[in-house]
């Protein structure tokens, strides 16, 4: 297994619910370490830039509006197969379809307010980590 890094964002809905610590505990309890972290209120241009891959999709405007609606907790997580592990911990994008015990099943409100974001592939992780933590590499070793 490869030690890798992935980007995780605790979204405004979960921050507002005051469950940052509970979500971070799930990462740590499953072998993921925080390599970098900061809480931030994204500007519109930052949110648009981060989600630029979705610019042509009908939900883009609502996604940007949601992501700037309150502070987010941005983290680079590190561990063995961090990307797949984080994806499993998050659960399905639609919390109604997420497995019980996943972050989205426990903390998300809807497919739009779904508590967390996580990179979906090594290439995506590299771009996303560089977007928020430019001096941090994807691989820890």
């Amino acid at each position: 297994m490869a030690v890798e890094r992935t980007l995780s964002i605790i979204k405004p809905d979960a921050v507002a619910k005051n469950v940052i610590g509970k979500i971070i505990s799930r990462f740590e309890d499953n072998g993921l370490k925080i390599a970098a972290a900061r809480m931030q209120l994204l500007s519109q241009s930052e949110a648009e830039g981060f989600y630029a891959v979705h610019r042509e999709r009908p939900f883009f405007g609502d996604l940007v509006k949601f992501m700037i609606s309150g502070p987010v907790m941005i983290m680079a997580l590190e561990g063995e197969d961090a990307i797949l592990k984080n994806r499993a911990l998050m659960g399905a994008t639609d919390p109604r379809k997420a497995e019980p015990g996943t972050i989205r099943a426990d903390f998300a409100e809807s497919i739009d307010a779904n508590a967390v974001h996580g990179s979906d592939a090594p290439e995506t992780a590299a771009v996303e980590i560089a977007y928020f933590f430019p001096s941090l590499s994807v691989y820890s070793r």
Side-chain angles (χ1 to χ4, degrees):
M1 288 193 223
V3 173
E4 61 188 5
R5 290 184 174 150
T6 187
L7 190 84
S8 174
I9 300 176
I10 300 176
K11 295 182 177 183
D13 57 316
V15 171
K17 288 180 184 174
N18 201 32
V19 294
I20 295 170
K22 291 178 182 179
I23 293 172
I24 289 174
S25 290
R26 292 194 187 191
F27 298 144
E28 293 177 335
D29 291 346
N30 285 278
L32 296 173
K33 296 186 317 181
I34 299 172
R38 72 170 177 265
M39 184 172 271
Q40 179 177 338
L41 183 60
L42 297 176
S43 69
Q44 182 159 339
S45 64
E46 288 169 325
E48 287 174 346
F50 183 72
Y51 286 108
V53 66
H54 300 302
R55 187 172 304 278
E56 300 305 318
R57 298 214 167 135
F59 61 81
F60 178 75
D62 288 338
L63 175 61
V64 169
K65 185 177 177 181
F66 169 66
M67 289 301 292
I68 66 173
S69 68
V72 296
M73 185 71 180
I74 307 164
M75 297 171 286
L77 302 176
E78 173 182 289
E80 296 285 332
D81 291 321
I83 296 167
L84 290 176
K85 191 175 285 184
N86 184 40
R87 302 290 296 173
L89 290 169
M90 289 190 312
T93 304
D94 183 345
R96 294 171 300 173
K97 297 177 182 174
E99 292 289 324
T102 61
I103 294 167
R104 287 178 172 147
D106 293 344
F107 302 116
E109 297 172 19
S110 67
I111 196 167
D112 297 318
N114 63 9
V116 287
H117 165 89
S119 304
D120 62 1
E123 301 78 19
T124 310
V127 171
E128 291 181 347
I129 289 170
Y131 191 83
F132 289 112
F133 303 105
S135 65
L136 196 63
S137 69
V138 175
Y139 293 96
S140 64
R141 297 182 185 97

